[in-house]
Amino acid sequence: MQNPIQEIEKYIRDIKDFPKPGIIFKDITPLLADPKAMKLTTNELLKRVPKEVDKVIGIEARGFFFATLLAEHLDAGFIPVRKPGKLPYKTHEASYELEYGSDTLAMHIDAIKPGEKVLIHDDVLATGGTAAAVAELVEKAGGEVVMLNFLIELEFLKGRDKLAGYPVSSLLKY
Ligand code: AMP
């Protein structure tokens, strides 16, 4: 078989000017729609993450897909981090700067117990603001961030600079 990374890349579709002009959106729906590509991707992600994990966080919404699969394989719990107003119980919130304005993410206050090892997963690492806010939420709850893990990294946006001090891993780099 071909190099697995090159094989997975075939299932990522570039959508120009979505959601606004100048953005090339990395669409993972062709990958999600193909069971072989999903299995291959899950296995490649698993090769790169720590094995001792208590909780896997998926970031709304495209982080949920692989985070749940990783949690199942790692025998860990899955935790959704969502936009404000979506989670029904009490939440911790963290805000972060966007190009224009700011955004906020929320996590249930009892999602992580102090001392738990937490793996954070999202589909795309762009500027790193989202992932840094989620790391802040984990630490607010007393958890330990063992890795920030991504399917895709847009290296030219230098998101890793915002995540200095944490182990970061991504499968596909553009
Ligand atoms: P950032 O906070 O800049 O690292 O942005 C990361 C979040 O925005 C992730 O949740 C991604 O799903 C989404 N995102 C940013 N840029 C893209 C892109 N080019 N294609 C797909 N999703 C993106």
Side-chain angles (χ1 to χ4, degrees):
M1 197 182 60
Q2 216 186 355
N3 171 330
I5 301 299
Q6 287 172 350
E7 182 62 24
I8 294 165
E9 270 173 352
K10 290 185 199 160
Y11 293 88
I12 308 295
R13 175 166 59 184
D14 281 359
I15 310 285
K16 245 184 103 193
D17 297 324
F18 182 88
K20 51 185 183 182
I23 306 282
I24 298 176
F25 190 87
K26 295 291 183 190
D27 177 20
I28 64 166
T29 60
L31 175 59
L32 299 174
D34 187 286
K36 276 205 202 89
M38 280 290 275
K39 280 202 186 96
L40 188 59
T41 304
T42 307
N43 288 337
E44 288 302 315
L45 288 171
L46 282 168
K47 285 183 194 170
R48 290 161 175 80
V49 299
K51 301 295 169 278
E52 298 281 308
V53 173
D54 298 305
K55 299 280 166 62
V56 181
I57 285 183
I59 305 177
E60 181 169 357
R62 294 178 301 277
F64 291 169
F65 310 124
F66 284 102
T68 52
L69 291 170
L70 292 176
E72 201 267 331
H73 282 273
L74 293 166
D75 208 13
F78 166 75
I79 306 293
V81 163
R82 303 203 60 184
K83 303 270 163 59
K86 298 283 187 184
L87 290 168
Y89 186 55
K90 286 179 232 161
T91 57
H92 286 306
E93 297 197 346
S95 295
Y96 56 102
E97 296 307 310
L98 297 172
E99 198 178 348
Y100 301 103
S102 69
D103 221 337
T104 302
L105 287 171
M107 181 178 78
H108 276 154
I109 55 165
D110 59 354
I112 290 165
K113 295 185 189 73
E116 282 191 323
K117 294 183 189 308
V118 181
L119 171 67
I120 297 171
H121 171 82
D122 203 0
D123 63 334
V124 174
L125 171 60
T127 66
T130 306
V134 177
E136 189 187 316
L137 282 176
V138 171
E139 286 169 357
K140 229 183 238 180
E144 180 197 346
V145 178
V146 291
M147 176 176 275
L148 294 127
N149 168 268
F150 305 90
L151 203 51
I152 296 167
E153 177 175 359
L154 305 176
E155 288 186 300
F156 57 94
L157 293 173
K158 305 205 184 311
R160 279 183 193 244
D161 293 355
K162 277 213 189 87
L163 306 176
Y166 299 108
V168 176
S169 159
S170 60
L171 214 53
L172 312 177
K173 296 175 173 69
Y174 296 91

